[in-house]
Amino acid sequence: MTATDPAPDLERATLDKAASENFPVAPFFLPRAWRDDLMAVYGFARLVDDIGDGDLAPGGGDARLLGVSPEAAEDRLVLLDAFETDLRRVFDGTPRHPLLRRLTPTVRRHALTPEPFLGLIAANRQDQLVTRYETYDDLLAYCELSANPVGRLVLAVTGTSTPERIRLSDAICTALQIVEHLQDVAEDLGRDRIYLPAQDMKRFHVREADLAAKTAGASVRALVAYEAQRARDLLNEGAPLVGSVNGRLKLLLAGFVAGGRAAIRAITAAEFDVLPGPPKPGTLQLLREAGVILRGEG
């Protein structure tokens, strides 16, 4: 690797995005091995989302690492195909991209299978082809690809997977995805994507043009409040996952649930007006929510 090789900078730029997530990705209190593995999983998930959203670092460095020609470097489907090919090298040989090289020992250490990783790639392919969701069930099917694999990977990395824990984790991850969609309504619309189910929009008399306003009117606020309650219910459904484990993993999972609840509180505090920008919770609110969960009060 030469001094001018962009790979380390690209890898660090992606991993640094962990600090802006609603929930702790690999907090300091976890064992070092868990932190390394969780950051490897995060790096994969963050990079595939960046490919799907067109948020890669400028200059085409990621495309070059994946063997994509400069002419095709802006084609997200081509990049996703190349990324999937490189993912398969994690299981069959030596991947090219540094974030996938980072993932390789994690996969080997925990005998991870390709399925959850392929699900995340499939979700980003879907983002290139599907920009509206007719029903809530359609949105849940998308979350099955876009969010739930992450929780399943956390359980696998920590050696705590059981069918019931996976069910509870899926509820939490779907909730976190819905909350993120609510925070990012305006940003998603700028990408010509709407994750608010069309049936719900009709129910609350919300038109697409209403989502392009600088601030939300009463109908949009009512719709956001309705979807936020759905996310809250899912978090409550999944919260027993925290009590099913012990030690530091309990703290980590409490952080996930607390991140979702704190984000919903921030949305509520903004009176469900998410259009000016994503309402974000503060650290104190996150810690309060985590304390409530760990005390078994919610």
Side-chain angles (χ1 to χ4, degrees), residues 38 48 53 59 61 73 79 92-93 116 140 186 190 221 266 276 297:
L38 291 173
V48 73
D53 290 341
L79 284 167
D92 298 335
L140 292 181
R221 292 174 192 244
E297 298 172 6

Side-chain angles (χ1 to χ4, degrees), residues 235-236 254-266 281-298:
L235 283 173
N236 291 341
F256 291 162
V257 177
R261 287 182 174 173
I264 292 172
R265 285 193 182 274
T283 302
L284 184 58
Q285 184 63 56
L286 179 64
L287 292 173
R288 285 174 177 164
E289 294 289 348
V292 168
I293 294 162
L294 290 168
R295 292 194 298 271
E297 298 172 6

Side-chain angles (χ1 to χ4, degrees), residues 96-111:
R96 297 175 179 174
H97 198 286
L99 287 168
L100 291 179
R101 291 201 296 268
R102 175 186 286 262
L103 184 63
T104 301
T106 296
V107 164
R108 290 174 178 164
R109 202 159 28 240
H110 303 286

Side-chain angles (χ1 to χ4, degrees), residues 16 41 58 69 75 104 132 194 203-204 208 215 232-233 237 263 295:
D16 283 348
V41 169
S69 69
D75 189 324
T104 301
R132 306 290 188 275
I194 297 176
R203 175 180 175 182
F204 287 91
E208 290 193 13
T215 59
R232 188 181 290 110
D233 290 343
E237 178 185 338
R295 292 194 298 271

Side-chain angles (χ1 to χ4, degrees), residues 45 48-49 116 119-124 127 133 139-150 173-174 177-178 180-181 195:
V48 73
D49 280 354
L120 294 171
I121 293 173
N124 279 276
D127 276 334
Y133 291 85
L139 184 65
L140 292 181
Y142 169 75
C143 293
E144 179 71 21
L145 296 172
S146 69
N148 297 0
V150 175
C173 290
T174 292
Q177 180 75 90
I178 291 172
E180 184 177 329
H181 288 160
Y195 294 102

Side-chain angles (χ1 to χ4, degrees), residues 183-265:
Q183 290 175 309
D184 294 341
V185 167
E187 179 182 333
D188 289 335
L189 187 65
R191 304 180 194 274
D192 191 30
R193 296 178 192 164
I194 297 176
Y195 294 102
L196 299 165
Q199 282 188 356
D200 297 343
M201 290 177 64
K202 292 172 187 173
R203 175 180 175 182
F204 287 91
H205 308 288
V206 172
R207 300 166 302 164
E208 290 193 13
D210 297 329
L211 303 179
K214 291 184 177 180
T215 59
S219 296
V220 172
R221 292 174 192 244
L223 172 60
V224 171
Y226 179 72
E227 305 300 350
Q229 184 59 51
R230 279 177 154 168
R232 188 181 290 110
D233 290 343
L234 282 168
L235 283 173
N236 291 341
E237 178 185 338
L241 177 65
V242 178
S244 77
V245 299
N246 297 305
R248 298 178 187 183
L249 180 58
K250 190 185 194 80
L251 294 177
L252 177 68
L253 298 182
F256 291 162
V257 177
R261 287 182 174 173
I264 292 172
R265 285 193 182 274

Side-chain angles (χ1 to χ4, degrees), residues 64-84:
R64 287 193 296 275
L65 287 166
L66 294 171
V68 174
S69 69
E71 294 76 20
E74 300 300 321
D75 189 324
R76 298 178 194 178
L77 288 172
V78 170
L79 284 167
L80 288 168
D81 287 347
F83 193 57
E84 179 176 333

